[in-house]
Amino acid sequence: MSKKITYTDEPMKTGKIVKASLPGPGGLSFRKERVLTLRLDEPTIAELKEVADKKGLGMSTLVRMWVRERLAGKASL
């Protein structure tokens, strides 16, 4: 750092005022999710990880998508 910083007591220049882009507290919504523990054997987990990796997703995301599809009747029985 070769540049010397000089501090002064001068008032700061007022910057540009911009409109807030985030909603107020009433406009925020939070996910109401719960954790579900699922026990799977190692070969199933390995296969699940392989499929998820090919799709560019995490395993939990893939399983969540499959469950939602099944519950919505989009998946075959």
Side-chain angles (χ1 to χ4, degrees), residues 29-34:
S29 63
F30 296 97
R31 290 187 191 181
K32 295 182 181 177
E33 295 181 348
R34 291 176 48 190

Side-chain angles (χ1 to χ4, degrees), residues 58-75:
M59 288 190 299
S60 296
T61 303
L62 181 61
V63 170
R64 193 169 37 250
M65 287 171 49
W66 284 348
V67 169
R68 286 183 183 147
E69 287 174 2
R70 180 64 183 236
L71 293 174
K74 295 177 183 175

Side-chain angles (χ1 to χ4, degrees), residues 40-47:
L40 300 171
D41 56 54
E42 285 297 325
T44 302
I45 292 173
E47 190 174 351

